[in-house]
């Protein structure tokens, strides 16, 4: 789906995408690297970016943070074998060198200077330079990284991201003792918004200009990460409830505020996000592009700013003229930034409420300095959390705006210059253009427009009406758009160069999305997506256009009086989408390991008495899962002991925030910990029932869930061990010759093949150690058969503790010209204490924990699912108490439906390798 995502951002005025490359994803084991398997084909990603006409800012780490597993560090180093992380220490240096050499070579071969899309490469991530000394280990580390990437052939500028205004790191303009990058960057997440209270937060930061002036004054002002939303934690609110984070006003106020402070590069974090282990399954982030790949209003508003900056090249060289409360305005309730281009004298006044959280409607006048003197413009209105960029001496094509109090969306150079402005319905706009004595204007639309000529300038004053109004004047065409109408305005380029010029566009109004456009033989070809049937309007400047081709559908075009063409395009709202019911389930026990009769002779014996981990084992032998080559997913332990006189067992386990674990004695539940949203490690002392004890060979089976390895924001980071940290029996006599813990033997089992990555397509983090996972039950072409599999469903569930696997198949028959983002919805009866995982065609795509929450809906994209054809669905249901567990909802859902010509329906078999009998070896 990368091409789909890139095209949506390009259409929204973005010219670059910042992309992480995770060491953990490409290197399942030390010395093993994969850049070619389907999901890891980095070259394909670069090719898609070039095809979409978008640049790449590469972020290859080796540490990325990103709320990803271990911050992106290779998980094979989670056993402590990588040394002292993120320093110049020799062991760590030797660990990351091969990664940088290989990913660096791929980045180098795709640089802009070689015809590729890569324009910047970020070194490390939010590494704070705490000591400005050439011999400091962090300075040496940064020097090592830069040398290694240059040795790999990378020649584009290096960048880095300061972790907020907390330190002054790696700028050539501030105490450069080594390790400085070419382009300093500052990350900022100023929103402070609440998921449930839209009245909180919304206070912009107004010292960015001063910060950059102090610490990177010779460089462009760069935000490598600026807030595009935020993640919510286990046990919190789901993203759909975070209405404040989804508000398009956020983009309107915050991003324009940055323009007012002379920002010249801004990257949104996240612009689009997907699953991450530090939070619950989804990392939608309330981002402008939803995890389902759907455009949200916040992206539509961001597009208005993106298309404005794309053509407003005067913003690339400005100086600060002045700023402050009441500056250049009649109201002390308004804050203004005035910046100006020293070469063209084009001025930009960014106005916002002094208290940006205010939801009041404020009207004021602004004093604008123009080439014809200072002009006072009345009736400028900010409706609550709104911002505007007013311009002076703004050149567009062969014309100049003396001033304008409405927001400019964009302009294009066609057979005539076309200017596009937007306001909210009912707001007043005013602009002035040079004119001749006999200039006339024609007005089409609902807005009330008045033209007043005077001394070679004609001033237009208008009240924005619903929809659109078009003004023809003196060789200029001016679209006056209501803001919500502007959200459906597109300017698809006629070039694949990310640097789009004003004469390399077509203007389109109406559809949900426009991906591409071109003109040939009197036909304008438009590729895009559309939800509701609507009128499309296209301006090409070509008077020969008679036909609009929308997604291959030829439509007779009607010409407007002002030179555009219109037609009616289909949507998808009237299309019937039938999603099948999920039935015909087969089920099988996925925890035979709790039974003493289970054969674990092939399991790994936990026999290590020392560990490289910086965290000490609480008991011996060491039971850390990474020490035995199992990094991701659930782990299963079997501990043996003799004797009847043990009363309790003390277990400490770790698996990441909200993980849980359960223990059984000789098949009988003894307890565990059901999980805590704020704890990565938990401890419990469990009572051992005398009725379940035997004289010899007692078996304690412990299943430990896994929610990822820590980032380095948590002490020890990825090296914080997972699995069992310590286990001791209590109530025994040490004279019986057993070890100090009472256990005589421990064995461990994890994901099938451990670090050997037996499913490279889905990758090293897709599977865990549950019995059904190891045997490949979620994989396409696996056929459940009797007597192992019965016919119960998740609605029947379990009547006691345990883990059950459920599988079924379903067919989809979605029309090939539709994009229907799909997902699965789960629910369970109240008081259910359970853990559920979801697999679609072998991809683990959801973790449902009803007693912690919040997520109940889990999207999955085409490629993972076949829109037309057979699909395999699997669920694991882990009942954590003897009350058992069942589900009361398991159903496919659609998030929307869009008519499209994107190839969502294709042969995805290369992404969906199936089951084979080699899996039986992992029983």
């Amino acid at each position: 789906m990368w091409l789909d995502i890139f095209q949506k951002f390009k259409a929204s005025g973005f010219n670059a995408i910042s992309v992480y490359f995770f060491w953990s994803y490409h290197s399942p084991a030390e010395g093993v690297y994969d850049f070619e398997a389907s999901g890891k084909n980095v070259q394909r990603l670069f090719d898609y970016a070039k095809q979409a006409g978008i640049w790449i800012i590469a972020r290859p780490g080796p540490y990325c943070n990103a709320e990803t597993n271990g911050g992106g560090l290779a998980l094979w180093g989670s056993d402590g074998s990588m040394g002292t992380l993120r320093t110049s220490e020799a062991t760590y240096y030797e660990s990351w060198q091969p990664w940088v050499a290989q990913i660096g070579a791929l980045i180098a071969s795709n640089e802009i200077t070689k015809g590729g899309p890569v324009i910047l490469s970020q070194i490390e991530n939010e590494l704070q330079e705490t000591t400005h000394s050439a011999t400091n280990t962090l300075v040496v580390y940064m020097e090592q990284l830069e040398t290694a990437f240059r040795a790999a052939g990378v020649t584009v500028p290096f960048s880095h991201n300061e972790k907020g205004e907390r330190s002054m790191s790696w700028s050539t303009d501030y105490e450069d003792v080594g390790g400085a990058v070419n382009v300093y960057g500052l990350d900022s997440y100023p929103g402070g918004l609440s998921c449930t209270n839209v009245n909180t937060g919304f206070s912009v930061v107004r010292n960015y200009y001063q910060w950059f002036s102090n610490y990177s004054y010779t460089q462009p002002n760069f935000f490598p990460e600026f807030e595009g939303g935020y993640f919510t934690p286990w046990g919190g609110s789901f993203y759909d409830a975070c209405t404040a984070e989804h508000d398009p006003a956020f983009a309107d106020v915050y991003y324009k505020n940055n323009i007012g402070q002379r920002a010249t590069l801004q990257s949104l974090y996240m612009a689009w996000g997907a699953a991450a282990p530090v939070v619950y399954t989804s990392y939608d982030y309330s981002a402008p592009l939803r995890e389902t790949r759907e455009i949200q209003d916040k992206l539509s508003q961001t597009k208005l700013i993106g298309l404005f900056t794309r053509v407003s090249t005067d913003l690339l060289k400005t100086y600060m003229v002045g700023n402050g409360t009441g500056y250049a305005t009649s109201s002390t309730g308004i804050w203004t930034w005035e910046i100006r281009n020293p070469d063209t004298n084009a001025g930009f006044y960014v106005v916002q409420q002094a208290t940006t959280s205010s939801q009041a409607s404020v009207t004021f006048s602004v004093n604008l300095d123009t080439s014809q003197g200072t002009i006072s413009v009345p009736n400028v209105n900010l409706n609550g959390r709104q911002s505007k960029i007013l311009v002076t001496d703004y050149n567009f094509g062969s014309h100049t705006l003396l001033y304008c109090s409405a927001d400019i969306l964009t302009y294009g150079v066609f057979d005539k210059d076309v200017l596009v402005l937007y306001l909210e319905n009912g707001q007043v706009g005013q602009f002035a253009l040079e004119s001749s004595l006999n200039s006339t204007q024609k007005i089409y639309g609902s807005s009330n427009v008045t033209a007043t000529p005077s001394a070679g300038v004609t001033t237009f004053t208008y009240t924005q009406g619903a929809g659109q109004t078009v003004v023809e004047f003196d060789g200029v065409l001016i679209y006056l758009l209501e803001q919500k109408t502007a959200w459906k305005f597109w300017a698809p380029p006629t070039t694949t160069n990310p640097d789009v010029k004003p004469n390399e566009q077509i203007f389109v109004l109406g559809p949900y999305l426009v991906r591409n456009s071109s003109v040939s033989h009197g036909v304008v070809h438009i590729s895009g997506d559309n939800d509701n049937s609507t009128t499309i309007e296209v301006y090409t400047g070509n008077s020969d256009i008679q036909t609009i081709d929308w997604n291959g559908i030829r439509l007779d075009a009607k010409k407007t009086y002002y030179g555009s063409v219109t037609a009616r395009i289909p949507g998808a709202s009237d299309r019937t989408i039938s999603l099948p019911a999920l039935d015909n389930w087969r089920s099988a026990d996925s925890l035979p390991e709790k039974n003493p009769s289970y054969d674990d002779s092939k399991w790994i014996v936990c026999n290590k008495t020392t560990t490289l981990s910086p965290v000490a084992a609480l008991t011996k032998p060491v039971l850390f899962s990474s020490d035995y080559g199992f990094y991701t997913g659930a782990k299963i332990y079997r501990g043996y002991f003799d004797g009847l006189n043990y009363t309790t067992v003390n277990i400490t386990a770790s698996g990441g925030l909200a993980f849980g674990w359960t223990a059984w004695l000789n098949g009988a539940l003894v307890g565990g910990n059901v999980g805590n949203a704020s704890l990565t490690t938990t401890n419990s002392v469990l009572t051992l029932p005398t009725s379940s004890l035997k004289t010899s060979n007692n078996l304690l089976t412990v299943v430990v869930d896994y929610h990822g390895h820590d980032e380095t924001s948590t002490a020890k980071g990825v090296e914080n061990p997972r699995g069992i940290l310590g286990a001791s029996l209590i109530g025994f006599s040490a004279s019986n010759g057993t070890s100090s813990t009472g256990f005589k033997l421990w064995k461990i089992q994890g994901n099938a093949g451990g670090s050997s990555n037996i499913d490279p397509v889905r990758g090293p983090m897709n599977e865990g150690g549950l019995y059904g996972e190891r045997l490949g039950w979620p994989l396409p072409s696996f056929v459940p058969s009797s007597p192992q599999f019965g016919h119960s469903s998740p609605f029947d569930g379990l009547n006691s503790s345990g883990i059950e696997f459920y599988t079924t198949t379903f067919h989809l028959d979605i029309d090939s010209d539709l994009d229907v983002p799909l997902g699965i919805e789960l629910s369970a009866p109240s008081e259910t204490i359970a853990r559920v995982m979801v697999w679609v065609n072998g991809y683990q795509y959801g973790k449902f924990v009803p007693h912690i929450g919040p997520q109940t809906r889990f999207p999955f994209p085409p490629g993972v699912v076949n829109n037309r054809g057979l699909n395999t669905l699997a669920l694991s249901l882990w009942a954590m108490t003897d009350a058992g567990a069942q589900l009361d909802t398991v159903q496919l859902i659609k998030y929307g439906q869009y008519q499209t010509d994107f190839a969502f329906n294709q042969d995805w078999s290369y992404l969906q390798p199936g089951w084979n009998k080699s899996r039986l070896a992992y029983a």
Side-chain angles (χ1 to χ4, degrees), residues 570-876:
S573 58
D574 59 344
R575 304 279 286 273
T576 299
I577 310 296
S578 297
L579 299 180
L582 298 173
D583 49 23
N584 297 318
W585 292 95
R586 301 297 301 272
S587 66
D589 177 24
S590 187
L591 191 60
E593 301 95 340
K594 74 176 181 180
N595 300 315
S597 60
Y598 173 83
D599 180 7
D600 63 12
S601 59
K602 295 181 181 179
W603 283 33
I604 292 176
V605 174
C606 299
N607 56 7
K608 295 188 176 184
T609 57
T610 61
T611 178
L612 294 174
S613 173
V615 177
L618 297 179
T619 58
K620 303 292 179 64
V622 175
L623 299 177
F624 303 164
S625 61
S626 291
D627 281 45
Y628 299 97
F630 297 119
Y631 310 127
T632 67
K635 287 87 179 176
I636 304 176
Y637 293 84
R638 283 163 63 91
Y640 292 90
F641 62 95
D642 296 329
L644 298 171
N645 56 344
Y646 300 108
T647 58
T648 57
V649 60
N650 186 339
I651 297 177
T652 301
S654 182
L657 294 172
F659 89 107
W661 57 276
T662 311
W664 291 263
L665 173 63
N666 296 323
L669 178 70
V670 293
N673 189 291
V674 299
N676 186 304
S678 60
L679 297 178
T680 62
T681 300
T682 58
N683 168 264
S684 293
V685 178
L686 309 176
T687 299
L688 301 176
T690 56
S691 60
S692 297
L693 284 169
K694 302 186 300 183
T695 304
S696 63
N697 278 338
N698 287 292
L699 169 67
L700 187 73
T701 303
V702 185
V703 182
V704 183
D705 205 359
Y706 176 79
H707 285 182
H709 277 83
D710 293 330
E711 305 168 292
T712 59
S713 53
T714 302
K716 313 302 181 185
V718 72
E719 295 179 325
N720 281 326
R722 294 296 185 243
I724 296 178
L725 307 189
S728 297
L729 294 161
I730 301 172
F732 69 97
S733 170
S735 63
N736 62 8
T738 60
S739 69
S740 60
T741 66
F743 287 98
K744 64 180 183 179
L745 177 67
W746 277 100
K747 290 187 173 185
I748 185 173
Q749 183 63 278
N751 61 298
S755 64
S756 60
N757 194 28
I758 63 174
D759 187 355
V761 171
R762 296 179 181 88
M765 291 178 276
N766 187 61
E767 292 185 18
L770 298 184
Y771 185 80
E773 290 183 278
R774 304 199 310 268
L775 269 69
W777 292 350
L779 295 173
S781 72
F782 172 72
V783 179
S785 58
S786 302
Q788 186 174 27
F789 279 81
H791 289 275
S792 70
S793 79
F795 307 110
D796 301 318
L798 294 87
N799 56 17
S800 63
S801 63
I803 302 174
E804 190 81 1
F805 237 83
Y806 301 92
T807 69
T808 189
T809 58
F810 63 91
H811 283 84
L812 292 176
D813 190 22
I814 297 173
D815 292 345
S816 59
D817 69 332
L818 292 180
D819 178 18
V820 182
L822 297 175
I824 190 168
E825 182 174 12
L826 306 175
S827 70
S830 61
E831 310 303 323
T832 298
I833 298 176
R835 294 173 176 270
V836 180
M837 285 196 293
V838 181
W839 289 265
V840 181
N841 291 325
Y843 286 87
Q844 198 272 92
Y845 247 81
K847 170 69 71 71
F848 172 51
V849 186
H851 58 283
I852 296 179
Q855 189 168 5
T856 60
R857 289 184 161 204
F858 305 87
F860 40 80
V864 165
V865 70
N866 300 305
N867 284 354
R868 298 176 66 83
L870 182 66
N871 297 277
T872 297
L873 177 70
L875 300 177
S876 63

Side-chain angles (χ1 to χ4, degrees), residues 402-403 430-433 435 450-454 457-461 473:
L402 181 63
Y403 67 88
Q430 186 169 303
F431 59 91
L433 286 164
S435 60
T450 302
T452 305
S454 175
V457 172
T458 297
T459 300
F460 291 83
T461 303
F473 174 76

